[in-house]
Amino acid sequence: MLLIGLTGGIGSGKSTVSAGLAARGAVVIDADAIVHSLQVPGNPVFHAMVERFGAEVVADDGTLNRQAVADVVFGDPEALSDLSRIVHPPVVEEIARRIAQEAATDHVVILDVPLLVESGRDDLAALVVVDLDPELAVRRLVESRGMDEGDARARMARQVSRSERLARADYVLDNSGSPEDLGAALDALWSVLAALQDNAK
């Protein structure tokens, strides 16, 4: 197994890169997807969140209203800390379980984690950072996702800076161009990762 970290600031296009690497043969462990799977009704994480934040974080269909959660926690450091305390341990456990499943394989495993730099993880063969000018990232979040600009900037401010991410990167994918430009960059990155995998065998 070749364990590669993948991260990037909000709006950088990290999810697109992750999907592109999966299409090229990587096994992706997506932290956001794991979080979502743990927050479904009936799961202990869901019940703990409702108990902590109240019925207003439950949508009309009984599922978690993630925007309502964001509205509560991003302006309240104590609430944000409580959310992390509820969600973080089971996510870490599930990530570890999935990595263990892949340990004996020859797969390129992509650990797709938004806060990977902040985590201080030191077991990666390499760290890939998807990079984008923050102002362009905000514009894409507003135009493509319909996110409120203030909300986008507040979330960005809670992540490590662009310079900190780039300082930790082994490989940088520039996502400021067209989808075709990104596809070419992904092809080049996949060739690099394949070579790393061959060297590790």
Side-chain angles (χ1 to χ4, degrees):
M1 174 186 72
L2 186 73
L3 185 62
I4 302 295
L6 175 67
T7 195
I10 184 171
S12 64
K14 178 178 62 63
S15 296
T16 302
V17 169
S18 181
L21 291 171
R24 288 162 174 79
V27 173
V28 174
I29 300 174
D30 183 337
D32 281 342
I34 291 172
V35 170
H36 287 191
S37 72
L38 292 172
Q39 291 176 337
V40 297
N43 190 288
V45 169
F46 176 87
H47 290 301
M49 291 180 66
V50 175
E51 183 177 347
R52 167 60 179 86
F53 302 113
E56 62 267 24
V57 301
V58 181
D60 291 340
D61 63 359
T63 61
L64 189 69
N65 183 332
R66 291 187 174 82
Q67 185 58 53
V69 175
D71 291 343
V72 170
V73 304
F74 283 113
D76 183 340
E78 184 178 344
L80 187 60
S81 177
D82 287 344
L83 177 64
S84 179
R85 176 179 51 79
I86 292 167
V87 175
H88 189 67
V91 170
V92 170
E93 182 179 340
E94 178 61 16
I95 286 173
R97 187 188 69 80
R98 296 191 188 188
I99 290 174
Q101 279 186 328
E102 296 293 333
T105 72
D106 62 355
H107 296 155
V108 174
V109 178
I110 303 296
L111 184 56
D112 178 351
V113 179
L115 303 181
L116 195 54
V117 170
E118 293 90 325
S119 74
R121 194 173 190 112
D122 61 0
D123 60 343
L124 304 171
L127 176 65
V128 176
V129 169
V130 185
D131 184 53
L132 187 64
D133 179 88
E135 290 303 314
L136 180 54
V138 169
R139 189 158 73 245
R140 288 183 180 178
L141 287 167
V142 171
E143 294 174 357
S144 301
R145 291 199 213 171
M147 187 177 288
D148 174 78
E149 181 177 341
D151 185 25
R153 292 187 184 280
R155 294 186 189 213
M156 195 172 285
R158 285 173 174 80
Q159 298 182 331
V160 298
S161 69
R162 181 188 190 188
S163 60
E164 286 177 275
R165 270 192 301 271
L166 291 175
R168 291 283 304 278
D170 296 296
Y171 304 100
V172 177
L173 273 186
D174 177 7
N175 192 21
S176 60
S178 68
E180 292 74 21
D181 292 334
L182 183 60
L186 275 167
D187 285 339
L189 174 63
W190 187 246
S191 295
V192 169
L193 297 181
L196 280 176
Q197 178 69 311
D198 286 342
N199 291 336
K201 289 178 180 178

